[in-house]
Amino acid sequence: MSGPSEPLLLSHIGADDSNVDHKTRPEALTFDSIVEHSLSDFGFWQLFQVILVGVALFFDAQQIFITVYTDAYPTWHCLNHTICDHSTSDICRLPRSAWEWDGGSKDKTVISDFGLECSSSLLRGMPTSAFYIGGIVGGFVLALIPDDSLGRKKLVLFSTFAMSITSISVIFSTNVWIYTTLKFIIGFSRSQTWSYALVLISERVSTRWRPRATMIPFTFFVLGFMSLSGIAYLAQHSSWRFLYLYTVVPAIFYCIFLCIFALESPRWLHMQGNDEEAINVLKSMSSKNKPYLESLVSVLPLEQETSEELPRRSSVLVNTLLGGASGVLCFVLSVLGKTGIAFAFELSTFFCARIGFNLMAVYMVEMFPTCVRSSATMMFRQALVVGGACCPLIASIGRDLPSVSFAIFGVAMSGLGLFVLILPETKGSSLCDTMEEQEKRDQAINSSRC
């Protein structure tokens, strides 16, 4: 019988077990080593859990880019050709009886439905702006929620469900002001879906498989906004409200599946003192290691297979430097008139920036302990939002010479990328749960360098 002060995980081990040396038992059977060993195989159920959570970014991407189709300026044609010429006439100066929207449908897009065809560009762009403002506000507000308040799974579920319910409410909008308000709420509710999903996935895989597993949600994000073109094509003769309906209904069903089948982070459960439930989660995710988890007497391997992975810091630095150099070369070649080659470097800049961002996401997860990991990734997400908000300003600077924008992006990417040199290397390191563990690990890394 274990004492009241003995950790639950160690109490499963018989005191008279001769297979485990008494001096090495506390180090060998830390919760982190148990997680690493039990999840080392990355079986089918682990892959299923990663995909299940990663699909949240599929629906997140759809709501980000859906305004490209719902808020587009629809095409029109003349009815009275004596006073109307489609190539030269301005519909705002024509009587309403002289022209008609293509397809004869008034509610094809938000602009035609709410009569914004002659409104200012500020009013037409207000719903999209409200969405991104909601994302910025939500990022800072939701970052104040303590990491130990709800749990990883509930945060992913609540953010996706709130986004879905608000999005389906959009179809009942009667004017642009209600529509704009709902877009703000959508942006607010989904502002940290990406962060919640990334943290949940990273805490349910071992160190060896973490870089690969965290790439899966980014793949679903790309597939999400790619799918919009197909959905918009199928709904091209329908109201813009159906486009919201077609994207939101699957998201609501997804929330049901997420609630039923998704498992909580075992590391978060351990931080809450629910060690027995954490062990049950590990058993569900790795049936192969059930005997080990039930006994907890096996000696864990001291070495981890991480030699196949490149160092985090070097990988981020190389991508930022190459991407920045490609951006500058894109500008130089465009000035020299070699647009074909410049386009190749433009693609290279985008590729390096995307890979560097994905690597930094993994880096952020590994640098911070479980107790603050969610908040840290939220701030990382906010940096992305702030950078996106600066893009229109940078693009306006290069209005006369568009390639100058890539020069600015390139210099910023390479310059800011150098800051990675002051960060610690995290390749092959396990995830810490408390600030004390993180400090000890950092001290050990610094001591090994001396």
Side-chain angles (χ1 to χ4, degrees), residues 297-318:
V297 294
S298 301
V299 178
L300 298 177
L302 298 177
E303 297 182 359
Q304 297 177 3
E305 301 178 16
T306 56
S307 58
E308 58 183 331
E309 300 170 14
L310 293 174
R312 305 281 188 265
R313 185 168 56 181
S314 301
S315 300
V316 174
L317 182 63
V318 168

Side-chain angles (χ1 to χ4, degrees), residues 6-13 29-32 34-35 270 274-276 278-279 282 293 295-296:
E6 185 177 2
L8 175 61
L9 293 177
L10 298 183
S11 65
H12 288 274
I13 306 169
L29 291 172
T30 60
F31 184 78
D32 180 72
I34 292 172
V35 172
H270 170 63
N274 297 328
D275 290 328
E276 189 171 351
I279 291 296
L282 292 175
L293 291 168
S295 61
L296 293 178

Side-chain angles (χ1 to χ4, degrees), residues 47-69:
L47 178 61
F48 172 78
Q49 288 291 317
V50 171
I51 293 175
L52 181 62
V53 177
V55 172
L57 271 70
F58 180 90
F59 298 107
D60 182 50
Q62 288 183 335
Q63 294 306 315
I64 292 176
F65 297 100
I66 195 170
T67 52
V68 173
Y69 301 98

